[in-house]
Amino acid sequence: MAEVEEVTEGCNLPVLRRNQEKEDEWPLAEILSVKDISGRKLFYVHYIDFNKRLDEWVTHDRLDLKKIQFPKKEAKTPTKNGLPGSRPSSPERDVRKTLDLQPATPSSGKTLPIPVQITLRFNLSKEREAVPGSPDQPLSSSSCVQPNHRSTNGSARRAVAAQPGRKRKSNCLGTDEDSQDSSDGIPSAPRMTGSLVSDRSHDDIVTRMKNIECIELGRHRLKPWYFSPYPQELTALPVVYLCEFCLKYVKSLKCLQRHLMKCDLRHPPGNEIYRKGTISFFEIDGRKNKSYSQNLCLLAKCFLDHKTLYYDTDPFLFYVMTEYDSKGFHIVGYFSKEKESTEDYNVACILTLPPYQRRGYGKLLIEFSYELSKVEGKTGTPEKPLSDLGLLSYRSYWSQTILEILMNLKLENGERPQITINEISEITSIKKEDVISTLQYLNLINYYKGQYILTLSEDIVDGHERAMLKRILHIKHK
């Protein structure tokens, strides 16, 4: 068995993870840093295959030294065409994987009750090319589709042979929802770049570790999940204090009290563009209110892993959602968007602060972003990659919004109702690719008697109705 002194950065070993909801477990973890405080060693660990927000400092008694794996010496990376740092190509990398729909075949001889069937019409040539499962266009792969997942009526998806001469433009990450249009009209893999996407290749040991212990924002104390580039002198403090109205950071409670005597803000700077009850939205220009926008980005980075924006806020608009009481307008969450986006992005970063999560505010932020797109007469999509929580929120919002439209369709001359992908996109302002990926995720598209239909099973209808009963926050239209 190894000794505690032998545990260094880069070692992998099981670490006791305390779980309030379940029994304690021993997942494999990587040692990212070691420090000595008054003769007591502490180890910063990242639980492999767990989200980085769970990383923490642990003592030696939580390490299983019997199963330690010491770091291996790095082998030289093979080269391609004699260029250092590039890996040789692999046939698997060049294969474009696609999915196709099989005609529905009963799996057990039983027919499930189908209360709603909607014909998926193809009245535009461009739309037909992008719709999954059309005879001349294979269904594009996306992160939310499982190759062997069966739909409610027994139809299955299967992998088909790769098309020669086509290569994937980028690798599909697990946090991405939809695919983008490529130049040849075939949806390609999700785009991994954007205005706020951090370059993961430059991650170092510093940015992999949480550097702020605690943040006090108004009446809340927040435990950051990720690294945020606050000034170095703040990282050694037990608590960083923020003014909840201008988001200025100070190093002590006394400094905050002095600041509050001079700060005359009681709401985010900018224009209030929406109010319903105690909920308000403020639009902030990143160029006109640079200090506030930068402070907002520093705070948001504590809870967002994939996006990065700290100082160059000029090209962005920020929409801050607040809750009003007698003391002022308190920040609940926000989203940012580029003033001019060539890729139809209507959201760059989106965040609901931890004290307000699981209360419907995330969907309200998403709904507001699409209402802005409707006002602009455009369809929109969030910038990739989405965080894990962001992906869940978007999937849920897309599903509920699209199902609400499908369930409200009426019979036409006694026949099943009809709708197109473009019509759904125009009604909701959700980009066509996101509509398609959502229908795939819900397993709604089926081939039946020579037609492509959207099949709403009883389980889907019941689940949607229960979800809509719980969702009480909506954007009110004038």
Side-chain angles (χ1 to χ4, degrees), residues 105-172:
T105 55
S107 57
S108 60
K110 296 181 180 179
T111 304
L112 295 176
I114 302 173
V116 182
Q117 287 187 341
I118 301 160
T119 301
L120 192 60
R121 288 191 286 109
F122 304 96
N123 55 5
L124 296 174
S125 58
K126 289 184 179 179
E127 182 184 74
R128 187 179 181 85
E129 290 177 357
V131 171
S134 59
D136 55 352
Q137 174 59 49
L139 179 63
S140 171
S141 62
S142 78
S143 62
C144 61
V145 179
Q146 301 299 324
N148 295 319
H149 197 82
R150 291 193 173 272
S151 65
T152 54
N153 67 347
S155 63
R157 295 189 173 88
R158 59 179 174 83
V160 297
Q163 298 177 4
R166 300 195 187 278
K167 295 184 179 180
R168 295 195 72 154
K169 290 193 173 182
S170 61
N171 293 328
C172 184

Side-chain angles (χ1 to χ4, degrees), residues 195-329:
S195 57
L196 301 184
V197 176
S198 60
D199 185 356
R200 313 301 296 176
S201 63
H202 295 293
D203 274 1
D204 54 27
I205 196 65
V206 174
T207 58
R208 289 182 68 189
M209 297 171 54
K210 304 171 194 174
N211 58 332
I212 302 295
E213 182 68 24
C214 182
I215 290 176
E216 184 170 303
L217 180 68
R219 60 181 180 271
H220 300 293
R221 282 206 169 186
L222 314 177
K223 285 279 189 181
W225 296 348
Y226 308 109
F227 170 88
S228 183
Y230 278 103
Q232 184 68 30
E233 60 268 21
L234 298 181
T235 60
L237 300 175
V239 181
V240 175
Y241 296 87
L242 268 61
C243 172
E244 63 176 326
F245 299 113
C246 71
L247 303 183
K248 177 180 174 62
Y249 48 84
V250 294
K251 60 183 180 180
S252 69
L253 182 58
K254 186 170 289 187
C255 290
L256 178 64
Q257 291 170 345
R258 287 201 299 266
H259 166 80
L260 292 176
M261 293 174 64
K262 297 180 288 184
C263 182
D264 55 359
L265 275 181
R266 288 300 175 265
H267 58 77
N271 299 321
E272 184 182 13
I273 59 174
Y274 175 84
R275 180 184 293 188
K276 179 185 177 184
T278 60
I279 300 295
S280 292
F281 277 86
F282 289 82
E283 183 182 66
I284 294 109
D285 190 315
R287 182 180 63 83
K288 296 179 181 178
N289 298 283
K290 190 181 292 288
S291 177
Y292 180 89
S293 301
Q294 291 174 350
N295 290 336
L296 176 61
C297 291
L298 288 173
L299 172 62
K301 183 61 185 72
C302 291
F303 308 100
L304 294 173
D305 186 28
H306 293 288
K307 304 296 179 71
T308 173
L309 170 68
Y310 316 125
Y311 304 112
D312 185 18
T313 60
D314 290 15
F316 294 90
L317 293 171
F318 298 83
Y319 294 88
V320 177
M321 181 169 64
T322 64
E323 220 175 34
Y324 174 78
D325 64 16
S326 58
K327 295 182 180 179
F329 295 80

Side-chain angles (χ1 to χ4, degrees), residues 381-451:
T381 187
E383 190 174 295
K384 310 299 180 300
L386 292 167
S387 66
D388 55 346
L389 297 180
L391 177 62
L392 289 174
S393 295
Y394 267 96
R395 275 182 176 171
S396 179
Y397 173 80
W398 287 331
S399 299
Q400 291 180 8
T401 304
I402 293 172
L403 285 173
E404 190 70 10
I405 290 173
L406 299 180
M407 290 174 60
N408 289 333
L409 291 175
K410 297 179 180 179
L411 295 176
E412 299 177 356
N413 300 324
E415 298 181 356
R416 69 167 67 101
Q418 299 185 7
I419 196 167
T420 66
I421 299 293
N422 276 353
E423 288 171 350
I424 297 175
S425 181
E426 290 171 4
I427 294 170
T428 62
S429 282
I430 299 173
K431 201 170 183 181
K432 187 169 56 179
E433 289 78 12
D434 295 331
V435 174
I436 294 171
S437 69
T438 303
L439 295 175
Q440 293 174 350
Y441 175 69
L442 295 173
N443 295 302
L444 297 186
I445 302 179
N446 295 288
Y447 183 80
Y448 181 71
K449 291 185 178 180
Q451 289 182 316

